[in-house]
Each structure stands twice: as C-alpha cells, then as structure tokens.
Amino acid sequence: MNSNKDLREEIEDEEEDESLYEHHKFIAEVGQKPLRVDKYLMNFIENATRNKIQKAAKSGNIYVNGETVKQNYKVKGGDTVQVMFEHPPYEYLLVPEDIPLDIVFEDDTLLVVNKPAGMVVHPGHGNYSGTLINALVHHFDNLPNNSSDRPGLVHRIDKDTSGLLVIAKTEEAMAHLSKQFFDKTSEREYVAIVWGNMEEDEGTIEGNIGRNPKNRLQNIVYIGDDADNGKPAVTHFKVIERLGYVTLVSCKLETGRTHQIRVHMKHIGHTLFNDERYGGDRILKGTTFTKYKQFVDNCFKILPRQALHAKTLGFEHPVSGEWMSFNSDIPEDMVNCIEKWRGYAKNQLEEL
C-alpha cells in the first residue's frame, strides 16, 4: 500500500490537470485595518508558519480578489483572500491506517468508540494522518459519508477532548442518527474541570456562538444586536464537586456547536482548566503564592490538555428503535488532576 507521503507526491507531481484547488478562503471584516497578507493568514490558519505562508506567496499561491499577491500585500476590509494549490487539500486523502480503536459497542449498523485525548477526529490542516477516520477506513469498508464527505462521522469532538462518539456503518444509520442530533433528541453529557468556584449548583447557558473576528481559531458568544452573528447554542450544567479554585461540572448539550462547552464556560467566567486556546492554561483563580503557582503547574503537567471528557452518550437505535445509553470512565489524566485539587482544597479547609 502506498504511504500517505507517496499519495501526496503523486498528486503534487500530476501535471496534466492545470486547475487549482482552494485550500483556504477568508473574507476580511469590513473594519479590517490594512495588514500584510502573511500576517493576516497567520491569524487564521491553524498550525501555519510565517515561512510556509511566505513561500506560498512567492510561488504565486496566494490570491486576493482573484489576483495573485506577494507577502507584503496589505489586506483591507472586504478583501477575499484565498490560498490555492495544484493539488487538492490533503484532508481528502483518506489513507487507511492500522490504528487501534477502543470500541465500546458494535453491531451491523453502528459502533460507539471511546476516543483518547490527542487523537484528531478527521484529517485537516496540519493533521493528515493518525486521525480517527484514518483508523475507521482501515477497520471498516464502505462507511457512508456524512454531509461533509467524511465517512462514518455523525458528530465529532475536539482533538484534546476524550470520550464517546457514535459512528454510522450504513446510509440508513447515518441519516437516522444525524436527524437525532439535529432534532436534539440524542443525549450527550460531558465532565469538565473549570476555573473558579461556580456560584450556582446548576443552570443553563444560552448564547449564540460564532467565529471570533479577532481570532478565527476561537469562537465567542454573540449577544444583543450582534446575536445574529452566531448560531443558537444551549448548555445545561450541574456542579459535581467544588474543589477550591476549580469546580468539577457536568455539562449536557442541547445543541452541538464547535467548542460549545469551552466557549460557554469562558463566557460565564469559568474557562476550562488548561484550555490553551481559550486562556485556561494560565492561573485564573487563586493566590499569588509561589507554592500555589508550582501546584498549578504540576496540575498542568498531569493534565496537558483542556479538562473535558465526553462521558455519556444516548440515542435511539436506527433499526430497532431501542434507546441505547453508554458511559465511559473519566480518563486517568483527569482523575489524577481532580485528586490533586481535592487534596489541595482539603488542606485549605484544614488551615482555616
């Protein structure tokens, strides 16, 4: 079997097709201040480097309003910026890879997998191998494509979030399960560690979620007159345990927006613990003592990712109609972090 690299080289060396493929497209906000196109793209393309972007510009692969530009072109409000290459995006090269899967349940129509933290769900920019889909297409033949042409995927979770996913094995299962997620009849519960002591024991967060215009790699909550810039999102939360300067919470999703729990929790002032993208990898609550800083740094090392786990998953079986519910253990890195905070909170109480 050809390697992933061989397949990429085959595509890149193919000279018969002179058409260009769009890899990225951005439309600059109306209020965008003039900014060099290489710096502009650095703000929007995940895992990109300045060197790679400048190389693409020198090779004539960056277009603004349909015309090639150099790296010093100043992007202005309303500009359409595209990165174009002669080969299709690598995410469309679904190379089967013999990666072990933690299968919780499987029958002829679907399977439920427990994804480890660190595994990307589907290939994308900077992650073209080692993904869940690479594993799925190795272990299973003829998986149905979803609306984004990704085989088997009914829903997804972030790279550094662990937990349960249902995979469709037939077209019927894909349609039936996708409708359940769309109609909000499926059940998904996550467990998270968040910064701060939450005032309420339980509650609901409602706020439209959309791209952050200042940082395309983040999403934010849009409220008031700007609400239409985002899509409706609802998260129900319940405190499991208070651990001093952090809280262990259960979150149930009514909708499934990108980064929903991470964005909603940050919006109410309780950013996920060690969530680098949303600023949770800094000390947001606590003391200024050096000993405390060392304690938190140790917790970051124990749990080197956002503290989020997709713990339970429920849905109606697409053929039998039976309600199915699955539960997964909180992974060791989160358990160890919780135990550290539990011990710290206990010591704090004893000192009072």
Side-chain angles (χ1 to χ4, degrees):
M1 181 184 293
N2 287 341
S3 68
N4 203 357
K5 182 180 178 183
D6 292 337
L7 283 172
R8 290 185 210 168
E9 289 176 347
E10 274 182 33
I11 288 178
E12 289 171 357
D13 290 342
E14 200 173 274
E15 296 179 354
E16 294 178 4
D17 187 356
E18 295 180 355
S19 62
L20 292 175
Y21 297 87
E22 181 181 274
H23 284 230
H24 301 282
K25 180 179 179 180
F26 308 106
I27 299 176
E29 296 286 331
V30 174
Q32 173 69 51
K33 295 180 181 179
L35 181 67
R36 283 175 56 116
V37 70
D38 52 356
K39 291 184 178 180
Y40 177 84
L41 289 173
M42 279 286 291
N43 292 333
F44 287 88
I45 302 178
E46 189 171 5
N47 299 323
T49 65
R50 186 92 176 267
N51 184 52
K52 285 183 179 179
I53 291 173
Q54 290 181 343
K55 184 178 178 182
K58 289 176 182 176
S59 301
N61 297 114
I62 296 180
Y63 289 70
V64 176
N65 303 326
E67 301 289 336
T68 58
V69 297
K70 297 301 181 183
Q71 66 264 27
N72 61 354
Y73 173 87
K74 297 288 182 68
V75 176
K76 302 175 291 296
D79 279 350
T80 298
V81 183
Q82 295 169 286
V83 182
M84 311 279 284
F85 290 102
E86 294 177 359
H87 59 86
Y90 294 141
E91 55 260 42
Y92 295 108
L93 295 178
L94 298 179
V95 180
E97 296 180 46
D98 188 5
I99 302 168
L101 290 172
D102 181 3
I103 298 176
V104 177
F105 172 85
E106 181 183 1
D107 65 12
D108 292 338
T109 59
L110 60 86
L111 66 144
V112 176
V113 298
N114 190 18
K115 186 191 81 69
M119 174 183 270
V120 176
V121 171
H122 58 77
H125 185 78
N127 297 290
Y128 306 118
S129 63
T131 74
L132 178 63
I133 283 189
N134 292 113
L136 289 172
V137 296
H138 170 84
H139 293 287
F140 303 97
D141 295 326
N142 303 315
L143 289 172
N145 284 342
N146 65 12
S147 58
S148 300
D149 293 326
R150 288 166 176 152
L153 283 193
V154 178
H155 60 127
R156 63 183 184 177
I157 56 179
D158 297 331
K159 173 187 174 182
D160 288 325
T161 299
S162 53
L164 298 175
L165 287 161
V166 61
I167 307 297
K169 294 171 72 175
T170 67
E171 295 284 355
E172 179 185 14
M174 176 66 76
H176 197 289
L177 290 166
S178 296
K179 188 173 188 303
Q180 290 184 57
F181 278 77
F182 180 80
D183 291 341
K184 307 171 188 175
T185 58
S186 61
E187 288 187 359
R188 286 167 289 171
E189 180 196 8
Y190 291 71
V191 172
I193 306 170
V194 301
W195 278 107
N197 184 15
M198 302 189 77
E199 291 183 10
E200 299 177 342
D201 289 334
E202 57 186 282
T204 297
I205 308 166
E206 296 186 58
N208 290 14
I209 291 177
R211 289 283 189 188
N212 184 343
K214 297 180 180 178
N215 183 345
R216 193 173 173 81
L217 302 182
Q218 290 184 355
N219 284 339
I220 59 172
V221 171
Y222 285 96
I223 56 177
D225 294 339
D226 296 326
D228 289 343
N229 292 332
K231 295 180 179 179
V234 181
T235 304
H236 306 285
F237 69 86
K238 188 174 184 178
V239 170
I240 299 173
E241 186 175 0
R242 299 179 187 279
L243 301 166
Y245 297 122
V246 300
T247 305
L248 183 64
V249 295
S250 162
C251 297
K252 289 189 176 181
L253 294 183
E254 191 171 308
T255 53
R257 306 302 176 201
T258 300
H259 300 172
Q260 178 170 320
I261 293 173
R262 301 164 70 183
V263 174
H264 269 173
M265 284 296 166
K266 180 180 176 69
H267 179 66
I268 65 170
H270 293 285
T271 304
L272 262 64
F273 185 77
N274 209 10
D275 188 347
E276 180 181 3
R277 182 165 297 187
Y278 289 94
D281 59 338
R282 304 189 305 272
I283 295 176
L284 299 181
K285 298 290 180 181
T287 74
T288 57
F289 297 133
T290 301
K291 189 175 180 181
Y292 176 71
K293 182 180 184 301
Q294 291 173 342
F295 166 79
V296 174
D297 285 342
N298 285 334
C299 288
F300 286 156
K301 290 175 183 176
I302 290 171
L303 183 64
R305 63 175 179 103
Q306 69 253 15
L308 187 61
H309 175 66
K311 192 175 191 304
T312 64
L313 178 63
F315 54 85
E316 182 183 284
H317 192 280
V319 176
S320 70
E322 176 189 358
W323 180 258
M324 309 191 75
S325 185
F326 301 93
N327 184 69
S328 61
D329 293 334
I330 299 174
E332 187 177 7
D333 57 357
M334 275 188 70
V335 169
N336 291 339
C337 186
I338 291 166
E339 289 178 350
K340 289 277 286 185
W341 276 105
R342 189 176 286 141
Y344 183 88
K346 183 180 178 182
N347 289 337
Q348 289 293 100
L349 285 173
E350 288 175 352
E351 290 177 6
L352 291 175

